[in-house]
Amino acid sequence: MSNVQRPYFDALYAASDDPYASRERWYEARKRAVLLAALPQAHYRRVYEPGCGIGELTLALSHRCDELLASDFSAHAVELARKRTAGRAQVQVAQHALPMDWPCEAGRFDLIVLSELGYFLARHDMQRVAECCKASLEADGTLVACDWAPDFAQRSLSTREVHGILSGLGLARLALHEEDDFVLQVWARDGRSVAQREGIR
């Protein structure tokens, strides 16, 4: 995240501990439910969720994995996410500014979730994040991107550009969910559908 956006996020979190009303809005709860339902596996071993904000999606993901590393570049968001997930021993929340703080030393992940993150990055930084995703993804790994679709002033990239960069990684696309409000895509190294994985077809 660049220093250009830092005052924007500092102002957001100074005004509210839940600036996007993630705990109150049906839109946010529904979006999380759609994302969770789109995951091709019921359970994951190791998950990375950069840009975790106050930790609402983090908390939901923690019920689907053995280990979860969440991060945000905002110190206030990190503090709030740690409080939100305090009862979940498998969750670690760190302060990361991407792409420079990508946790290469943490090993590989079988699920990486980029939610409402990529469009705040400059193009070259988003491309580096995409490369980090591919390098950090396990052989059976899943990559998810979920992003607000309408334009807004603080964007560096459009949602179409973000998803285009991720689509260029050569992973198989398992799901595309597109609405006026948000776009969700799921890619994996294993291109089989959920039904194929379970031997239904």
Side-chain angles (χ1 to χ4, degrees):
M1 203 72 61
S2 74
N3 288 327
V4 175
Q5 281 90 13
R6 190 173 294 279
Y8 168 69
F9 284 100
D10 287 346
L12 277 181
Y13 285 107
S16 171
D17 281 353
D18 188 4
Y20 296 105
S22 299
R23 298 173 185 168
E24 301 171 7
R25 288 183 176 143
W26 168 238
Y27 166 78
E28 294 289 347
R30 176 179 173 272
K31 182 181 66 175
R32 287 193 295 273
V34 171
L35 188 155
L36 292 166
L39 298 178
Q41 295 174 220
H43 195 82
Y44 290 86
R45 297 179 299 279
R46 303 188 70 239
V47 178
Y48 182 42
E49 184 208 357
C52 67
I54 67 170
E56 287 301 302
L57 179 58
T58 312
L59 183 63
L61 287 168
S62 73
H63 295 277
R64 300 274 298 270
C65 67
D66 297 324
E67 298 177 36
L68 197 165
L69 173 60
S71 72
D72 203 282
F73 92 126
S74 164
H76 194 174
V78 168
E79 179 185 354
L80 294 169
R82 284 174 177 164
K83 289 179 181 178
R84 186 62 173 146
T85 60
R88 308 297 295 170
Q90 70 272 49
V91 177
Q92 176 189 353
V93 184
Q95 187 172 2
H96 291 167
L98 298 184
M100 60 284 296
D101 293 334
W102 188 274
C104 301
E105 75 289 345
R108 292 180 179 270
F109 303 93
D110 56 334
L111 174 61
I112 298 173
V113 178
L114 305 178
S115 181
E116 317 288 354
L117 168 68
Y119 43 57
F120 289 114
L121 300 173
R123 172 174 288 277
H124 64 278
D125 285 336
M126 182 59 220
Q127 289 171 333
R128 283 181 60 194
V129 166
E131 291 164 5
C132 287
C133 286
K134 188 170 184 179
S136 299
L137 207 58
E138 288 279 17
D140 60 347
T142 301
L143 172 64
V144 179
C146 184
D147 293 287
W148 177 249
D151 198 14
F152 61 99
Q154 292 77 25
R155 278 187 183 276
S156 296
L157 296 172
S158 70
T159 289
R160 185 176 297 277
E161 289 174 305
V162 171
H163 285 235
I165 290 170
L166 294 171
S167 294
L169 292 176
L171 303 173
R173 189 173 73 184
L174 300 185
L176 167 62
H177 180 93
E178 190 166 6
E179 303 184 5
D180 289 343
D181 296 329
F182 71 93
V183 180
L184 167 72
Q185 292 201 69
V186 180
W187 300 270
R189 293 196 189 277
D190 182 349
R192 295 176 299 163
S193 71
V194 175
Q196 287 173 325
R197 293 174 190 223
E198 296 200 336
I200 300 172
R201 70 178 186 92

